[in-house]
């Protein structure tokens, strides 16, 4: 029985998919041909995750973290904007009216027909969506309105057999230490609204691009798990006392340098012992699409080696 493993974000596109996408954009190939290539990428990714605790489809239909949400009624696509301190960009959502997104529309952006039963879905975290948007409509209640929209989407995803949902919240890690007490209270209330429709699904928050030791109050949120970016976190300062499941982001998805499995095993083992973790999984610190496809595949292979060889440590 290997250590629990999960992937935590959008996966890299293969050269075939990048080429097919460019050809489609230039009118050189059909949508059906593009879709054929994309489905092959999804199948390959699912094969790479054989034996993992939960399986994602890589969000290969998502052009950035915020779409298709940024294409909802009441939202317009804004200018290309740098995604934190990375070399990737997103279309800034501009809020122009009351947000409305039919839950079933989300189903068009996942390959449920290819995913196994232990399926995981990754969605934009509401706080990060709020922080990275330009609000021209709401005087208040933007987060709560977004939470109710997500609440209905969770109900739909449960009907599609989704077992766990990860809300990606890089903003909380990146800027959490600067948030005021009222901001944290509002964020917690937002997740209380969302969690009302969790049914039997696990829901959790993925944090990255920042030091988790500054935002451990997240462990008091009404969620089942939290992932920690261990490449950006001061583990010496970190203090964890929780029964929640912890995702140990021990593989750096922002650096092409390949980890040594034995070193990762020792690092993870020390943390598990130090924090007396009962429930945990290992994972990349963030989305693997920041890397070339071949490197992303190798990073997944390293995760697998760590999981399989951990019992030997």
């Amino acid at each position: 029985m290997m250590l629990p493993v999960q992937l935590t974000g959008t996966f890299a596109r293969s050269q075939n998919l990048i080429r097919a996408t460019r050809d489609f954009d230039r009118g050189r190939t059909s949508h059906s041909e593009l879709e054929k290539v994309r489905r092959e990428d999804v199948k390959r990714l699912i094969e790479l995750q054989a034996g993992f605790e939960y399986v994602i489809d890589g969000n290969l239909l998502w052009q950035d973290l915020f779409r298709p949400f940024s294409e909802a009624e009441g939202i317009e696509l804004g200018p290309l904007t740098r995604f934190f301190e990375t070399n990737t960009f997103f279309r800034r959502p501009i809020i122009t009216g009351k947000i409305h997104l039919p839950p079933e529309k989300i189903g068009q952006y996942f390959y449920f027909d290819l995913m196994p039963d232990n399926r995981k879905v990754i969605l934009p975290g509401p706080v990060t969506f709020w922080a990275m948007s330009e609000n021209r409509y709401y005087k208040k209640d933007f987060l709560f309105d977004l939470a109710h929209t997500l609440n209905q989407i969770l109900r739909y995803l449960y009907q599609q057999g989704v077992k766990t949902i990860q809300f990606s919240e890089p903003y909380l890690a990146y800027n959490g230490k600067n948030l005021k007490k009222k901001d944290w209270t509002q964020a917690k209330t937002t997740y209380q609204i969302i969690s009302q429709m969790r049914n039997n699904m696990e829901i959790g928050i993925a944090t990255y691009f920042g030091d988790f030791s500054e935002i451990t109050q997240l462990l008091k949120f009404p969620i089942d798990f939290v992932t920690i970016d261990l490449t950006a976190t001061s583990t010496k300062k970190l203090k964890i006392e929780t029964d929640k499941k912890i995702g140990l982001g021990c593989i750096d998805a922002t650096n092409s340098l390949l980890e040594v499995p034995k070193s990762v095993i020792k690092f993870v083992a020390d943390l598990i012992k130090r924090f007396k973790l009962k429930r945990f999984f290992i994972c990349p610190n963030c989305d693997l699409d920041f890397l070339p496809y071949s490197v992303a595949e190798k990073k997944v292979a390293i995760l697998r080696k760590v999981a399989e060889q951990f019992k030997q440590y």
Side-chain angles (χ1 to χ4, degrees), residues 172-173 175-189 214-218 221:
L172 286 178
N175 198 52
K177 64 182 178 181
N178 297 320
L179 293 180
K180 298 177 181 179
K181 185 176 180 180
K182 65 177 183 179
D183 296 323
W184 281 106
T185 300
Q186 190 175 40
K188 187 175 182 181
T189 301
E214 305 278 357
I215 57 168
T216 53
Q217 56 262 56
L218 268 179
F221 276 36

Side-chain angles (χ1 to χ4, degrees), residues 35 39 42-43 46 110-116 119:
E35 188 63 11
R39 287 176 69 87
V42 174
K43 291 176 183 177
I46 290 173
F110 290 105
Y111 288 94
F112 292 132
D113 63 316
L114 298 179
M115 298 172 73
R119 54 189 62 169

